[in-house]
């Protein structure tokens, strides 16, 4: 990515002193990011540059990065599968892949005509981030007992954006509500199981961790600024040392992972992604803890940006599957014949 992209990105972010307060304000900021142009796909030899952009936006506003990452993920998936539905260049895309048992969208039937990819959808989709403002969604659906990807334009009679399903204080502006589909028209994207059966699935999963760490970076900056005038306080310096070590560990993991993905973009990277997410999740938890202990109640109560990040980041971090992901990593590790060589 050219340096001019990051200059323009920084200019967009610098225009806003505070994170967006509501979904309408978030929409305007998302449009500014979309206007910068698409990010490189994961595995395109510019994976780290892609993640650097996500990291920077996350450090500014986690609700905004939630929607921006979803938009860029949807574009990357469709590019990887070689299918791009008809949509305007300024379309706001979402990627909705949550699959709770009680909320699945199913293919009702194929639309009459000669294109078997044209279908209609019924059901409810949960955890639809940005649903009140996005124009298009790429999402997982079910055809018989098999998972598919479908692209749907949301401005049509068969789509209802509800107010159900989102009561969180943290990440409130992301409006991750439920969406109902009733004979809504859509386009199938890619073959059966296309969402999971592609290198980009795990590559994109590692990119989420860059967003988590970007939020933690903002907290670390607040601590560093406060600590600069308290260098004689050994406890403050110890907390800052903890935060520095945790942040550097996360950054190192992202650099190594991006390099390995770009070296072998068509290979599976499940273990690599699970390990990277685990390292960064631990780093973020350490940063949240030490920033809170070092700074006390003051910034929670008087620093609006800090308080917002402290509310948003734990919610976003729970996109991790915690011990379930660690269990999966453990199984992969147990079968790894190469071990832990240096």
């Amino acid at each position: 990515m050219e340096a001019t992209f990051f200059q323009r990105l920084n200019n967009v972010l610098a225009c806003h002193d505070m994170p967006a307060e509501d979904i309408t304000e978030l929409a305007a900021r998302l449009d500014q990011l979309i206007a910068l142009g698409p990010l490189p796909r994961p595995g395109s030899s510019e994976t780290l540059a892609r993640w650097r952009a996500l990291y920077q936006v996350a450090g500014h506003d986690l609700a905004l990065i939630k929607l921006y990452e979803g938009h860029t993920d949807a574009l990357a998936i469709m590019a990887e599968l070689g299918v791009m539905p008809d949509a305007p260049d300024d379309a706001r895309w979402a990627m909705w892949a949550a699959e709770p048992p009680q909320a699945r969208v199913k293919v009702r039937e194929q639309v009459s005509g000669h294109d078997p990819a044209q279908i209609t959808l019924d059901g409810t989709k949960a955890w639809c981030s940005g649903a009140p403002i996005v124009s298009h969604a790429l999402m997982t659906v079910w055809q018989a007992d098999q998972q598919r990807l479908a692209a749907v334009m949301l401005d049509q009679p068969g789509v209802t954006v509800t107010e159900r399903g989102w009561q969180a204080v943290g990440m409130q502006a992301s409006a991750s509500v439920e969406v109902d589909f009733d004979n809504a028209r859509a386009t199938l994207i890619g073959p059966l199981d296309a969402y999971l059966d592609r290198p980009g699935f795990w590559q994109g999963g590692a990119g989420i961790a860059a967003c988590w760490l970007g939020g933690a970076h903002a907290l670390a900056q607040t601590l560093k600024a406060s600590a600069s005038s308290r260098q004689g306080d050994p406890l403050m310096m110890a907390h800052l040392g903890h935060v520095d070590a945790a942040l550097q560990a996360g950054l190192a993991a992202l650099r190594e992972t991006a390099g390995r993905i770009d070296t072998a973009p068509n290979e599976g990277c499940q273990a690599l992604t699970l390990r990277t997410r685990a390292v960064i999740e631990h780093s973020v938890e350490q940063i949240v803890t030490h920033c809170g202990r070092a700074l006390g109640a003051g910034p929670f109560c008087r620093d609006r940006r800090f308080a917002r990040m402290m509310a948003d980041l734990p919610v976003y971090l729970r996109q991790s599957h915690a011990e379930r992901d660690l269990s999966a990593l453990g199984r992969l590790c147990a079968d790894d014949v190469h071990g832990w060589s240096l």
Side-chain angles (χ1 to χ4, degrees), residues 198-231:
R198 56 188 178 84
F201 174 75
W202 290 107
Q203 295 167 359
I208 294 290
C211 302
W212 300 340
L213 197 64
H217 173 264
L219 298 177
Q221 287 291 92
T222 300
L223 175 60
K224 186 177 181 181
S226 179
S228 64
S229 61
R230 297 172 57 184
Q231 295 185 34

Side-chain angles (χ1 to χ4, degrees), residues 274-298:
L274 289 172
R275 188 179 304 120
T276 301
R277 285 166 64 103
V279 168
I280 290 176
E281 181 177 359
H282 180 71
S283 292
V284 171
E285 289 173 340
Q286 290 293 305
I287 292 167
V288 168
T289 296
H290 284 282
C291 285
R293 292 175 70 87
L295 295 171

Side-chain angles (χ1 to χ4, degrees), residues 262-281:
D262 284 338
T263 298
N266 296 317
E267 293 184 6
C269 61
Q270 181 181 4
L272 178 64
T273 291
L274 289 172
R275 188 179 304 120
T276 301
R277 285 166 64 103
V279 168
I280 290 176
E281 181 177 359

